[in-house]
Amino acid sequence: MDEIKKTEIICPSDVFLKIIKGKCKTTIIVLIEQGRNRFSEIKRTLPTISERMIAKQLMELEKDGIIVRKVFQEVPLHVEYFLTAYGESIYPIVRDMRKWGYEYLNHLDTQGNNESH
């Protein structure tokens, strides 16, 4: 009985959602996988997201072991982000989840157009 009180019951799906929850985190994962792995490239692709928010999401993804930050000691100094093994394993799930999201938005758009006729 005491062991049950000490053990927090965790839902694995909630762990996954906690990792990817955040402003454009899934898009950032996709961009890094596609080779757009410098901060400036990510910012250019996500112009409606503040630099501060992008930096926050990158730090969280790094803290969670999804990406790794590599600093290149050259002039000018630059930083690139890469998916870790966990990041590589999450990528197909994120890709499929985003595909479903696009399909759902299309469904809503089509549904809305059908209602007007």
Side-chain angles (χ1 to χ4, degrees), residues 11-90:
C11 175
S13 299
D14 289 345
V15 173
F16 173 79
L17 292 172
K18 180 184 176 294
I19 298 299
I20 64 164
K21 182 180 177 185
K23 190 94 171 158
C24 293
K25 272 189 182 176
T26 59
T27 301
I28 291 170
I29 290 169
V30 169
L31 291 173
I32 292 171
E33 170 61 24
Q34 293 175 346
R36 289 183 268 172
N37 55 355
R38 294 182 72 174
F39 188 90
S40 61
E41 294 169 323
I42 295 169
K43 174 63 180 151
R44 236 184 338 270
T45 306
L46 301 171
T48 60
I49 311 301
S50 71
E51 288 185 12
R52 182 176 174 204
M53 181 57 69
I54 292 170
K56 178 180 184 278
Q57 303 307 343
L58 288 167
M59 284 189 292
E60 288 178 7
L61 287 168
E62 185 177 14
K63 181 181 125 299
D64 290 333
I66 304 302
I67 64 172
V68 64
R69 180 179 188 263
K70 183 174 180 182
V71 178
F72 292 85
Q73 299 294 331
E74 52 190 50
V75 179
L77 185 75
H78 77 271
V79 175
E80 292 184 9
Y81 297 91
F82 300 92
L83 295 180
T84 62
Y86 276 113
E88 292 287 341
S89 72
I90 203 174

